[in-house]
Amino acid sequence: MTASSSAQPPTRLSLGDLRGSPARRRRELSVRLLFLAAATVSILVSFLIIVSLAGEAWNFISQIDLPLLIERGWFPRRDLYSIHTIVAGTLTVAGIGMLVAIPLGLGAAIYLSEYASPRMRRTVKPILEVLAGIPSVVLGYFALQVISPTIVDPICPGSTQGFNMAAAGIGVGILITPLIASVAEDAMYAVPRSLREASYGLGARKRTTSLKIVFPAAISGIVAALILGLSRGIGETMVVSIAAGATGGSLFSVNPCEPGQTMTAAMTALATGSDQVRGATLAFPSLFFVGLLLFAFTLALNLIADRFVRSMRIRY
Amino acid sequence: MASTPRTQALTGAEAVRRTLEGGRVDWASRAFEASLVALLVLTLGVLAWLLTVVFVNGMPVLADRGFDFLTSPLNSQAGAAGVSQAIVGSLSLMLFVALISFPLGIGAAVYLEEYARDSWFTRLINTVVRNLAGVPSIVYGLLGLAVFVVALADFTGGRSLVSGGLTMAILVLPIVIITSAEALRAVPDAIREAAFGVGATRWEVVRSHVLPYAAPGIFTGTILSMARAFGETAPLILVGAVIGGFNVQYNGVVETLQGRYTALPTTVFDWARKPASFSGNVYAAILVLIVVLLLVNALAIYLRNRFERRW
């Protein structure tokens, strides 16, 4: 209120009187714009991803004969770009990963949410976070050197040098278990106690309450957990690059006991020169085409999972 | 209740439960709980197995060569190869991440939580950030390849440290935004309103009231995101981290920034594909990697517990 003099009572205060010094207001505005710029960077990044992928991907698609896309196998050095081979590889590995991660993750989640004491929760949750923090290269090497000989070899007859999609799948499963466990456990923990207590009040056992009341109540969060796990499993690169083999390329295969090429491993192989990047071949653009495909898959899955998470929040 | 010695030993609750259950043992429930425990133990067991294998196979190499392993550069001979260049590279990348993504990420979070009105634009940014956090890291590698390595080759020097650093910074950005936003949301509105009430402008409120209170949470989030970036391999491979070996001396900052580099996880990846002579090296490098990550995570958890405020 600096504008009015002290001698006479002010007749009416305007907004201008309350505003404060222009310098202070200028600083406010510039700070606000600065933060706005920072926030807009994220949109810029998104835009850049789509543009950079789409440009080269179009380059690829426009130059290749479409029937080639469902040809025999993925062998970039011989100009064979069978997309459905690598998609099949990705789905096989991700599928095995889910087979491993769903029981482990949901089991841990139900136990921690319904049965475990607070002290056990406090001890076990950080350990799960440690598991979540293990880099995927480590798990990949573990899958190749330990899981393949120990678990897969006995089951599969005569695997090639230890490279197979089953070992990679189990590695991916171990990787996504903590993700599924923590999201599902959050969902179940968020179910109001009143629901459980009503169930107990009617005489139900803990097992009945957990499976028939809490689990269905948290189902949207649990589904979100599974979808997020699947999305992560599809996008997983290092485990499959190390353990699934097929660096030169592979034929179409859904046999987990055989080596196979996934979308992500194909991209790694293209970039490290196991297959050729740069040059007159279509290898470089094919890298971006596969990348765009991968981006589209995981984006779709994440958007669906988002929907489920949002419906979980609305209920309570 | 019959006062046999057996029922006398039971507490009241136990006796009631026995009566209600009719004296039969509920095998199904016990089996269910046992199977849940088994699954949990299996999960934790796999972690223990992994850590044991790494330790048992990696420790001999470190015990044998110790300091030499940590200070030797890459080499085609397993006995001479070390992780010095890898560690330097990884630390340099972390520096990039810290300098670029922390200010950008925290700034964006401050905007989203403190300044933004609920408009379509704000909701768009929120959706974009959440989806970017879920994009596979290799796609960020593609972005780095297309933009920094190829398109901006004149500035960055192609497959250089700068390209790698910028790519990792962009990778980490969504996570920093999300964790910082969560930390800011946890500050009670009463703090802000008190500051507004004495006439502070929005920036003054944020600077002197909100940020100091949210600082521990923001700090923890940024440390954890750096830990995540430390272990990332796929984007670096695409953007040109060296695989194999290199022995170049760079003079001056600009040359180093525009020059080749390598990182610890990519070194692990490279050695993993080499013949069995490198097996010990791989485990030793993994051991170094895991120890660093565990230390960083422990630091973050310790700081979070130490500075956590309960409102």
Side-chain angles (χ1 to χ4, degrees):
Chain A
M1 293 179 266
T2 53
S4 45
S5 67
S6 50
Q8 31 174 234
T11 43
R12 192 166 281 228
L13 281 176
S14 68
L15 200 55
D17 297 326
L18 292 170
R19 270 207 172 152
S21 72
R24 204 162 162 226
R25 272 190 285 134
R26 266 200 309 272
R27 190 187 56 188
E28 268 307 291
L29 189 60
S30 50
V31 165
R32 189 197 183 95
L33 288 178
L34 195 70
F35 285 142
L36 176 59
T40 329
V41 168
S42 60
I43 300 197
L44 181 66
V45 167
S46 225
F47 180 69
L48 271 179
I49 289 182
I50 298 183
V51 162
S52 61
L53 291 185
E56 287 284 350
W58 176 250
N59 204 352
F60 174 78
I61 267 286
S62 56
Q63 292 183 44
I64 199 166
D65 300 322
L66 281 181
L68 270 179
L69 288 181
I70 41 176
E71 267 287 308
R72 292 183 329 272
W74 177 267
F75 294 99
R77 278 204 188 132
R78 299 185 236 157
D79 268 344
L80 288 174
Y81 298 101
S82 158
I83 298 291
H84 82 311
T85 306
I86 51 177
V87 170
T90 300
L91 291 177
T92 311
V93 169
I96 297 180
M98 291 302 276
L99 274 181
V100 168
I102 291 181
L104 289 184
L106 287 185
I110 298 178
Y111 185 76
L112 285 176
S113 154
E114 303 298 310
Y115 284 84
S117 65
R119 199 183 65 178
M120 185 170 278
R121 280 186 94 230
R122 270 202 308 273
T123 336
V124 172
K125 288 196 81 167
I127 302 181
L128 280 179
E129 266 177 58
V130 169
L131 183 58
I134 302 266
S136 43
V137 258
V138 176
L139 226 26
Y141 196 62
F142 183 70
L144 179 63
Q145 299 285 65
V146 179
I147 296 183
S148 190
T150 322
I151 300 184
V152 182
D153 247 354
I155 306 180
C156 288
S159 42
T160 2
Q161 288 181 295
F163 294 118
N164 48 65
M165 289 197 277
I170 296 178
V172 169
I174 297 175
L175 206 61
I176 61 183
T177 299
L179 177 64
I180 293 185
S182 74
V183 178
E185 198 257 333
D186 280 343
M188 283 191 274
Y189 207 64
V191 172
R193 273 180 56 187
S194 53
L195 278 180
R196 292 187 184 84
E197 303 198 350
S199 171
Y200 290 133
L202 287 173
R205 290 180 288 235
K206 196 177 250 246
R207 171 169 62 105
T208 320
T209 309
S210 307
L211 288 179
K212 298 239 169 85
I213 307 285
V214 177
F215 196 84
I219 195 73
S220 46
I222 293 176
V223 170
L226 297 185
I227 298 181
L228 285 173
L230 181 62
S231 163
R232 174 91 196 270
I234 287 181
E236 178 43 52
T237 315
M238 298 322 296
V239 177
V240 289
S241 295
I242 296 180
T247 37
S250 87
L251 292 171
F252 180 86
S253 164
V254 284
N255 182 359
C257 292
E258 287 176 17
Q261 191 76 301
T262 64
M263 289 194 277
T264 47
M267 288 163 69
T268 317
L270 282 166
T272 53
S274 299
D275 309 324
Q276 194 183 10
V277 184
R278 275 293 174 219
T281 65
L282 284 177
F284 188 73
S286 72
L287 174 64
F288 287 86
F289 181 72
V290 177
L292 188 64
L293 212 54
L294 183 69
F295 178 67
F297 270 17
T298 49
L299 184 66
L301 284 175
N302 286 332
L303 285 175
I304 297 176
D306 221 23
R307 231 354 100 83
F308 276 99
V309 168
R310 221 125 21 106
S311 70
M312 164 178 91
R313 293 227 185 96
I314 289 176
R315 292 268 218 93
Y316 302 117
Chain B
M1 249 33 75
S3 55
T4 63
R6 198 155 151 264
T7 36
Q8 269 172 351
L10 298 171
T11 62
E14 185 62 28
V16 169
R17 192 178 69 79
R18 286 273 177 98
T19 313
L20 284 176
E21 284 184 358
R24 286 169 297 135
V25 175
D26 186 3
W27 288 115
S29 285
R30 293 200 187 180
F32 180 66
E33 189 175 347
S35 57
L36 287 182
V37 172
L39 288 171
L40 185 61
V41 165
L42 187 57
T43 313
L44 300 178
V46 167
L47 175 62
W49 187 18
L50 180 123
L51 292 177
T52 315
V53 166
V54 167
F55 190 77
V56 162
N57 286 302
M59 210 48 213
V61 176
L62 284 179
D64 222 19
R65 294 177 50 195
F67 199 61
D68 177 60
F69 184 73
L70 292 174
T71 52
S72 307
L74 296 176
N75 197 307
S76 51
Q77 301 274 36
V83 292
S84 67
Q85 292 167 317
I87 293 183
V88 166
S90 279
L91 290 178
S92 319
L93 291 171
M94 291 308 104
L95 196 62
F96 264 96
V97 164
L99 289 177
I100 298 178
S101 66
F102 289 175
L104 274 181
I106 299 176
V110 168
Y111 179 78
L112 289 173
E113 289 299 317
E114 303 294 324
Y115 284 85
R117 282 171 295 248
D118 191 23
S119 67
W120 66 270
F121 185 65
T122 315
R123 262 172 283 144
L124 175 68
I125 297 189
N126 269 313
T127 318
V128 164
V129 169
R130 264 205 316 272
N131 284 313
L132 280 181
V135 167
S137 54
I138 196 170
V139 175
Y140 285 100
L142 275 184
L143 172 64
L145 180 61
V147 173
F148 299 123
V149 174
V150 176
L152 295 179
D154 299 325
F155 293 115
T156 58
R159 292 182 150 83
S160 65
L161 185 59
V162 169
S163 306
L166 289 172
T167 309
M168 295 310 277
I170 295 184
L171 175 76
V172 156
L173 188 62
I175 312 172
V176 174
I177 297 180
I178 291 177
T179 50
S180 304
E182 247 170 73
L184 288 169
R185 236 174 309 180
V187 177
D189 269 339
I191 307 271
R192 297 182 181 87
E193 313 239 334
F196 281 127
V198 294
T201 62
R202 200 172 281 274
W203 167 233
E204 284 163 2
V205 171
V206 168
R207 186 192 63 195
S208 58
H209 286 73
V210 179
L211 278 180
Y213 279 109
I218 295 181
F219 201 47
T220 323
T222 52
I223 293 181
L224 289 175
S225 56
M226 279 232 288
R228 158 101 191 259
F230 194 77
E232 281 288 346
T233 327
L236 290 176
I237 293 179
L238 256 59
V239 168
V242 168
I243 297 188
F246 71 112
N247 212 341
V248 193
Q249 298 288 41
Y250 290 118
N251 303 315
V253 181
V254 177
E255 245 190 65
T256 317
L257 287 177
Q258 287 191 333
R260 309 304 301 275
Y261 66 102
T262 186
L264 196 50
T266 53
T267 305
V268 170
F269 173 64
D270 180 36
W271 287 351
R273 302 182 308 168
K274 285 198 162 42
S277 60
F278 268 87
S279 162
N281 281 29
V282 178
Y283 282 113
I286 291 179
L287 194 53
V288 173
L289 183 58
I290 290 189
V291 163
V292 170
L293 285 174
L294 282 179
L295 284 178
V296 171
N297 273 306
L299 174 70
I301 294 179
Y302 167 72
L303 287 175
R304 181 176 64 194
N305 289 338
R306 172 103 163 67
F307 290 109
E308 199 173 21
R309 283 166 174 272
R310 307 204 175 272
W311 300 103

